[in-house]
Amino acid sequence: MGSRSLLNRLKDRNYYYVWIGVFFLLLISIVLSIYYSALQIDYTWRWYRIPQYFAYQEQVEIKSEIDGEVESISKKGKEAVVRVKGLEGTESYAVPASALTVEEGDQIYYGDTLSSYKKWRVGILMQGLWLTLKVSIIAIVFGIFIGLFTGIARISSNPALKWSAITYIEMIRGSPLLVQIFIWYFVLGTLLNNLLANNGIAQIPPLWFGVAALACFTGAYVAEMVRAGIQSIHRGQTEAARSLGMTYVKSMQHIILPQALRRILPPLAGQFISLIKDSSLLGIIAIRELTKATREVVTTSLQPFELWFVCALLYLVLTFSLSMLLQHLERRQLVV
Amino acid sequence: MIVAKNISKTFKSHSTEVKALVNVTAKVDKGEVVVVLGPSGSGKSTLIRCLNYLNVADEGSIVIDGIDILDPKTDINKVRAEVGMVFQSFNLFPHKTVLENVTLAPMVVRKNSKEEARKKGMALLEKVGILDKADVYPDQLSGGQQQRVAIARALAMEPKVMLFDEPTSALDPEMVGEVLDVMKNLAREGMTMVVVSHEMGFAREVADRVIFMDEGAVVEVGTPEHFFTNPTHERTKLFLSQIL
């Protein structure tokens, strides 16, 4: 009997590994079929072109703006100051000491290179990634606050609060985000910026209308989660808190919301991941986030296959990190 | 200490009306222990919840320590701070430790310092015999332990009156004793108490007065001896014959 069950277990384990093998086979065959199909249309993969969109070295040349003579070069650590004496006066240029291309006493003319060196610059994809991250984080923070207050207003007995909350939630959830972004930028943005211009105040850049659209969009969904979370907490909790003399606000703050937020953490995580992905729509109002940046690079580099894969991967990095972070929070709270 | 006069309460839903309290008048003096008895649905829980404004009486007046709690101008939070309440289902805060459960309200409502609240909290936990569990979370405690923490939590506010709404009804039988012992000690110290309960032994031993209710009205009020040995009303006799 013993040997038989051992055999069974061995068989089970072998089956397990077989299915793992099947999984990887599936993965490899998808990759290969894409590669093969690309060969069929004579697509040339040029992965080596991709890193430059993350970071690249820029050639920097510092040029003289006057004719004259190099009067002095004074070095201070890694910096050097080149003083050029011309007929109409003296100009000084600060350059890296190691990249000098002139010496003291050299005669130079307008446009001559004084120093030439390479400098690392952040590529457009990294800039896009950073902007996506920034927009998402700001929108998430505002979304949480909007959601919290709207969620509480939603279950208030005051009709002004309650109906405002319901109207807001239904309107936001009932229309496409793309349309909302257009309204924020082309309608509200135009109105607001005209108003500001008429009063001589600086314009609000498109970025903030994009953030507002995303925050309001997320806020409506968060509000419904907050409402459900609060309502899921047993009535006895409120009664116990209030019977101790706590006000409504204090009992919300110390008793109800901490428990409710803990419960809605998993759906909140999903909502925030959606928000990161939805930020890709902001490209339509000239915000150069990751998707818009990728599109621009594609039009100049003509390597769409690599770039869109990289773009998707970068989103995955963002969303996966967020999901890990929230899972960590969730687990920590379960222990505590 | 507590004077409730002619209070009535009707629960209305879409199609039905339930008269929970009909013209109830009751009085609790300082230092007195009053036990409210009655069959289920008799309105005793509603009565005690009305005393704490968790239910709002439709008519009548309730005066606690000289303050009319049904007056719209009254700050009910101030009154509640002086009135401790213990619930049937404990209602401890599950996201806070035992000690935090006890110290939260004194810090938030009474603005006690953390150190002060902690010291008082530890003393109260010792009093209810649960000091060793100060740093665990409520879900790791037995029902009896939870209810004792709930009593300590209410006492931390140094209330003038304690209301107990069926404090032992949700407990396993072997845990009823430990909670009743805490309550008896409290009574011996002179705490004013209103207890809704089915514990006849407790009523007989500790109560100064017993209020018997049925169908939302007070049927009989008297000392435990009178109530258990020589009740006047037929309804009381029937009730006692059913439970004893």
Side-chain angles (χ1 to χ4, degrees):
Chain A
M1 288 301 272
S3 68
R4 193 192 162 90
S5 70
L6 186 74
L7 202 72
N8 269 341
R9 246 182 288 154
L10 216 70
K11 220 165 121 191
D12 285 347
R13 188 176 297 168
N14 282 341
Y15 272 133
Y16 183 71
Y17 286 123
V18 166
W19 287 114
I20 288 180
V22 168
F23 167 73
F24 281 108
L25 213 64
L26 219 68
L27 216 61
I28 292 168
S29 63
I30 289 173
V31 171
L32 282 181
S33 61
I34 290 177
Y35 180 71
Y36 178 74
S37 312
L39 285 181
Q40 296 301 301
I41 59 162
D42 287 333
Y43 188 85
T44 320
W45 295 85
R46 294 195 178 92
W47 283 104
Y48 64 88
R49 282 196 185 174
I50 304 304
Q52 60 174 321
Y53 302 116
F54 285 84
Y56 64 98
Q57 283 196 316
E58 189 190 40
Q59 187 74 35
V60 183
E61 292 189 335
I62 294 175
K63 293 178 171 162
S64 172
E65 285 153 351
I66 54 169
D67 296 345
E69 190 190 332
V70 177
E71 185 187 47
S72 70
I73 297 177
S74 48
K75 292 185 183 172
K76 228 188 235 165
K78 286 186 174 177
E79 279 277 298
V81 177
V82 180
R83 287 172 64 85
V84 181
K85 192 180 180 201
L87 290 172
E88 284 115 40
T90 314
E91 288 279 339
S92 346
Y93 302 90
V95 299
S98 56
L100 279 169
T101 52
V102 291
E103 288 174 10
E104 265 178 49
D106 281 2
Q107 277 294 325
I108 52 167
Y109 297 99
Y110 171 82
D112 277 3
T113 305
L114 300 175
S115 164
S116 165
Y117 59 96
K118 283 182 173 173
K119 198 175 156 192
W120 279 104
R121 301 298 291 266
V122 178
I124 180 171
L125 282 188
M126 275 323 259
Q127 287 174 11
L129 184 69
W130 165 242
L131 197 60
T132 291
L133 189 65
K134 182 173 140 187
V135 164
S136 302
I137 288 175
I138 301 174
I140 284 174
V141 169
F142 280 106
I144 289 174
F145 280 109
I146 296 173
L148 214 52
F149 286 110
T150 315
I152 292 170
R154 172 76 178 72
I155 47 175
S156 157
S157 53
N158 179 330
L161 285 175
K162 185 178 180 172
W163 294 355
S164 309
I166 292 175
T167 311
Y168 160 71
I169 291 169
E170 292 305 326
M171 268 172 43
I172 295 287
R173 293 202 307 177
S175 64
L177 178 57
L178 190 60
V179 173
Q180 289 175 31
I181 293 172
F182 280 139
I183 292 178
W184 269 103
Y185 184 57
F186 291 111
V187 181
L188 297 175
T190 307
L191 291 176
L192 207 62
N193 272 338
N194 271 327
L195 214 66
L196 291 176
N198 288 345
N199 290 299
I201 304 169
Q203 301 283 288
I204 299 171
L207 177 78
W208 291 103
F209 293 109
V211 167
L214 283 181
C216 285
F217 182 76
T218 306
Y221 286 89
V222 173
E224 280 296 273
M225 290 172 198
V226 168
R227 177 188 64 83
I230 291 174
Q231 285 177 338
S232 78
I233 305 295
H234 192 264
R235 208 168 47 116
Q237 291 289 308
T238 311
E239 288 183 351
R242 297 305 300 273
S243 78
L244 288 163
M246 284 187 217
T247 59
Y248 174 80
V249 173
K250 292 281 179 204
S251 71
M252 270 287 164
Q253 180 192 343
H254 293 286
I255 305 303
I256 307 302
L257 284 180
Q259 295 184 57
L261 290 182
R262 196 167 296 195
R263 266 184 212 182
I264 63 173
L265 211 52
L268 272 184
Q271 188 60 43
F272 294 152
I273 285 169
S274 282
L275 179 130
I276 291 181
K277 294 183 293 177
D278 289 342
S279 74
S280 63
L281 290 172
L282 294 182
I284 53 165
I285 57 169
I287 296 173
R288 203 160 75 180
E289 41 63 58
L290 186 52
T291 303
K292 168 97 164 148
T294 309
R295 236 164 53 193
E296 286 180 11
V297 178
V298 166
T299 50
T300 55
S301 74
L302 301 176
Q303 298 297 140
F305 288 19
E306 296 90 332
L307 283 164
W308 285 120
F309 278 131
V310 166
C311 178
L313 200 68
L314 289 175
Y315 275 111
L316 193 68
V317 168
L318 287 186
T319 53
F320 193 66
S321 321
L322 180 68
S323 140
M324 287 288 112
L325 177 76
L326 286 166
Q327 260 181 39
H328 171 74
L329 277 179
E330 217 174 301
R331 226 172 300 136
R332 213 184 57 179
Q333 288 189 329
L334 279 182
V335 177
V336 167
Chain B
M1 183 56 94
I2 299 177
V3 182
K5 264 190 200 143
N6 305 324
I7 57 174
S8 295
K9 173 75 185 170
T10 307
F11 290 107
K12 293 185 185 105
S13 68
H14 296 295
S15 51
T16 53
E17 275 192 9
V18 181
K19 288 192 169 157
L21 293 178
V22 185
N23 216 13
V24 170
T25 295
K27 193 174 81 113
V28 180
D29 290 328
K30 192 170 166 56
E32 203 178 24
V33 177
V34 173
V35 175
V36 184
L37 296 175
S40 46
S42 61
K44 44 193 201 308
S45 275
T46 308
L47 173 66
I48 202 167
R49 289 167 61 85
C50 277
L51 296 182
N52 205 6
Y53 207 69
L54 287 174
N55 288 147
V56 183
D58 300 328
E59 289 165 42
S61 81
I62 301 172
V63 177
I64 296 179
D65 204 22
I67 302 167
D68 181 358
I69 69 163
L70 295 177
D71 183 345
K73 287 194 287 278
T74 301
D75 180 0
I76 191 62
N77 297 317
K78 284 217 173 92
V79 179
R80 279 173 173 161
E82 308 295 334
V83 179
M85 178 99 178
V86 175
F87 299 88
Q88 181 178 353
S89 48
F90 332 132
N91 297 342
L92 291 180
F93 307 133
H95 61 303
K96 303 222 171 261
T97 65
V98 164
L99 183 62
E100 284 167 350
N101 262 277
V102 177
T103 56
L104 180 69
M107 280 158 62
V108 170
V109 180
R110 293 255 194 256
K111 311 281 180 216
N112 287 2
S113 73
K114 195 172 177 182
E115 210 28 63
E116 204 179 341
R118 194 188 146 77
K119 234 164 91 187
K120 194 162 66 181
M122 292 304 254
L124 281 168
L125 287 180
E126 191 173 12
K127 186 172 169 180
V128 299
I130 212 155
L131 192 59
D132 54 325
K133 304 280 187 189
D135 294 319
V136 307
Y137 285 83
D139 60 2
Q140 288 161 275
L141 300 180
S142 71
Q145 290 171 325
Q146 290 195 41
Q147 193 61 299
R148 284 186 279 150
V149 173
I151 294 173
R153 177 177 70 178
L155 289 175
M157 290 296 287
E158 295 171 355
K160 291 172 180 157
V161 190
M162 286 284 284
L163 307 177
F164 294 84
D165 187 5
E166 305 204 23
T168 56
S169 300
L171 296 178
D172 290 338
E174 73 266 26
M175 291 169 185
V176 170
E178 60 191 69
V179 173
L180 289 182
D181 284 343
V182 169
M183 291 167 65
K184 283 175 198 166
N185 280 334
L186 211 53
R188 231 169 276 141
E189 288 167 17
M191 174 63 79
T192 310
M193 291 163 65
V194 182
V195 185
V196 169
S197 182
H198 294 293
E199 298 297 329
M200 296 305 147
F202 178 82
R204 203 192 285 250
E205 188 183 337
V206 182
D208 294 307
R209 266 187 312 135
V210 172
I211 295 177
F212 178 67
M213 289 181 70
D214 188 34
E215 293 183 346
V218 173
V219 176
E220 190 158 354
V221 182
T223 60
E225 297 89 64
H226 163 81
F227 182 80
F228 286 106
T229 56
N230 190 21
T232 327
H233 290 265
E234 282 307 311
R235 185 66 190 88
T236 318
K237 285 177 191 162
L238 180 66
F239 175 73
L240 288 172
S241 74
Q242 278 164 345
I243 57 156
L244 291 179

